Amino acid sequence: MRLKNKVAIITGGGSGIGRATCQRFVEEGARVVVADVNQKGGKETVALLPKGKAIFVKADVSQEDQVKRLIKKAAQTFGKLDILVNNAAAFVFGRVEDTTLEDWNRVLGTNVLGPAWCVKHAVPEMKKAGGGAIVTIGSISSFIAQPDYVPYNTSKSALINMTRCLAMDLAQFNIRANVVCPGVIRTPTLIRLIDEWKMTPEDIQREWGNYHLLKRLGEPREIANAVLFLASDEASFVTGTHLMVDGGYTAH
Ligand SMILES: NC(=O)c1ccc[n+]([C@@H]2O[C@H](COP(=O)([O-])OP(=O)(O)OC[C@H]3O[C@@H](n4cnc5c(N)ncnc54)[C@H](O)[C@@H]3O)[C@@H](O)[C@H]2O)c1
């Protein structure tokens, strides 16, 4: 049990990588708060977990008042907070010429301000607990250019340096901060995009699969395993860094 007696908040826990992380954390002994703006998905995640191990809290991470309520509810329910996983994201793509103020507010509000609000309000609880671990989900898009991805990639690269700065400021409180950067992962959002863009299995392999050295897409649980490592005491000397979990996508 690598997370025995730990309490974790996982934003975007109602789907994909967030849901797999909730499941993996509970398998390792944690109690989890599934935070999501989507009530249906969040409640479904809780229903997949053993009774008493998880609660759902509806929260939009881009709204500071909702984040404040989320952290309070977590601490009240489980008595403390040890781990924060910043996973929720808005997927806003396009060329810069096509972007609107609304697009930028949505992508920066959820993907950059969201983690900032969550950390701001989680830190006082982690200090009370004697320390903590923050794991934020970045992406291969934190590092590379992709065609027509300007808003999303801008937001994901900001998380790398936000995390380094957090690691510096929070080390004195025994709080570690790291990023996990997935390659292309088979999640409900990806499946929706595949549908929307009318991609065939051959298109998926050519556009995405072949770019990974392992010649396939990743699965949510493969990301959850890396989040688990960074959240656990096994990573006690790891802070201010990122872990690529991308099947070798960025190795070439
Ligand atoms: N799927 C991929 O290929 C891939 C690749 C690299 C990185 N990522 C990153 O992994 C993370 C999870 O992605 P996923 O593919 O599992 O996505 P997903 O869409 O399956 O899940 C995201 C969840 O976040 C929730 N959410 C969205 N906006 C929110 C908000 N403002 N407040 C609270 N919850 C909100 C959604 O309701 C959803 O349940 C994201 O940070 C994403 O950028 C995904």
Side-chain angles (χ1 to χ4, degrees), residues 1 11 19 32 43 56 62 66 74 112 120 122 177 238 248 251:
M1 288 279 180
T11 71
R19 174 174 290 174
V32 300
K43 288 192 165 174
F56 167 68
S62 69
Q66 295 189 33
V112 181
K120 175 179 171 183
V238 184

Side-chain angles (χ1 to χ4, degrees), residues 36-142:
D36 206 297
V37 76
N38 175 349
Q39 179 154 328
K40 186 168 171 282
K43 288 192 165 174
E44 274 171 17
T45 300
V46 171
L48 292 169
L49 300 169
K51 271 211 160 24
K53 294 292 185 189
I55 59 162
F56 167 68
V57 178
K58 185 170 179 184
D60 177 343
V61 295
S62 69
Q63 304 301 312
E64 186 177 10
D65 56 332
Q66 295 189 33
V67 169
K68 214 169 155 180
R69 222 178 317 121
L70 161 69
I71 307 286
K72 202 168 155 200
K73 180 78 181 163
Q76 269 172 357
T77 306
F78 293 129
K80 61 170 184 159
L81 178 64
D82 305 292
I83 299 164
L84 167 67
V85 180
N86 287 310
N87 165 77
F91 298 90
V92 180
F93 301 112
R95 299 170 67 84
V96 77
E97 309 88 283
D98 303 327
T99 53
T100 62
L101 179 61
E102 195 199 345
D103 290 333
W104 282 108
N105 283 340
R106 194 152 72 84
V107 75
L108 297 178
T110 300
N111 300 7
V112 181
L113 276 180
W117 297 140
C118 288
V119 171
K120 175 179 171 183
H121 294 286
V123 161
E125 291 302 327
M126 289 180 174
K127 283 186 189 171
K128 281 188 221 160
I134 298 162
V135 184
T136 297
I137 309 300
S139 173
I140 50 173
S141 304
S142 302

Side-chain angles (χ1 to χ4, degrees), residues 125-171:
E125 291 302 327
M126 289 180 174
K127 283 186 189 171
K128 281 188 221 160
I134 298 162
V135 184
T136 297
I137 309 300
S139 173
I140 50 173
S141 304
S142 302
F143 292 97
I144 62 172
Q146 291 160 290
D148 304 343
Y149 266 50
V150 173
Y152 181 76
N153 289 26
T154 302
S155 73
K156 285 289 167 181
S157 63
L159 297 172
I160 302 297
N161 224 20
M162 181 195 285
T163 296
R164 292 190 187 114
C165 294
L166 290 173
M168 181 174 269
D169 291 347
L170 299 175

